[in-house]
Amino acid sequence: MNAEGEIRPLRPEEVPEAAALVRESFATVAEEFGITEENAPRFTAFAVTAERLRWQMEQGRPMFALFAEGEMAGYYSLDPGEGDACELNNLCVRPGYRHRGMGRALLEHAVARARERGCARMTLGLVEENQRLRAWYEAWGFSHIGCKKFSFFPFTCGYMERALQLP
């Protein structure tokens, strides 16, 4: 595997670093698609704060970070939600660590954790216009299940889903 590093549960004291990593990672998406804090203040690159992640952690949301070369290089969380689906949130890799298999390692880890929780499906949302990311998720077994345009975003929200074969 090309991904170096260790994936482990996020510790409470690491929440501010995780929030900064999410904002840094999603800022590249914002830049590519013309998303700004002015036209989309609720977009991940601008809306994720340590306080928000800390609240999600206190609510029991599983959060994981990938550490490589002495720093946090990737992150994701799972929203157990309701029913048989887990929602994958904020899977990201710090820009300097991309294209080294870390996204794949995080996704495989997330799928394994969702299966452990008894989830039969994994869902996620993304910027629909980001066809490169959509194709990446499709390569890992996700199917496009729809999209929705919200007045508070200058882009379309796309939704994907993957069935999880439970062990």
Side-chain angles (χ1 to χ4, degrees):
M1 176 155 91
N2 290 336
E4 315 102 34
E6 168 197 18
I7 299 173
R8 63 166 172 74
L10 191 70
R11 296 178 184 142
E13 64 272 16
E14 295 166 335
V15 166
E17 185 179 357
L21 169 65
V22 171
R23 288 190 307 273
E24 177 186 352
S25 298
F26 279 83
T28 62
V29 176
E31 183 177 337
E32 182 175 351
F33 294 97
I35 304 165
T36 67
E37 193 164 7
E38 291 71 36
N39 67 20
R42 292 163 61 180
F43 182 64
T44 310
F46 316 114
V48 171
T49 63
E51 293 75 24
R52 180 177 172 152
L53 291 187
R54 195 170 287 110
W55 180 84
Q56 291 173 346
M57 181 179 270
E58 290 167 359
Q59 301 305 306
R61 183 176 293 196
M63 299 177 167
F64 297 88
L66 185 150
F67 291 86
E69 300 173 12
E71 70 176 326
M72 190 180 297
Y75 168 86
Y76 79 88
S77 70
L78 286 174
D79 183 353
E82 298 178 17
D84 67 348
C86 285
E87 182 179 357
L88 179 63
N89 290 138
N90 300 334
L91 187 143
C92 60
V93 174
R94 188 179 302 277
Y97 289 92
R98 292 179 180 165
H99 310 292
R100 292 168 49 181
M102 293 182 183
R104 177 179 49 94
L106 286 163
L107 181 58
E108 289 173 350
H109 190 272
V111 167
R113 298 297 81 74
R115 285 180 178 143
E116 287 173 2
R117 297 182 71 82
C119 296
R121 299 175 295 124
M122 179 175 279
T123 62
L124 62 88
L126 74 164
V127 173
E128 180 71 16
E129 290 79 2
N130 192 341
Q131 292 299 302
R132 186 175 64 248
L133 184 60
R134 178 177 161 179
W136 185 81
Y137 278 112
E138 286 172 339
W140 294 107
F142 284 81
S143 298
H144 188 259
I145 57 171
C147 55
K148 186 168 182 178
K149 181 73 176 118
F150 294 97
S151 61
F152 50 83
F153 282 146
F155 57 87
T156 305
C157 294
Y159 300 96
M160 301 187 81
E161 179 177 276
R162 174 182 167 178
L164 304 177
Q165 289 72 30
L166 298 176

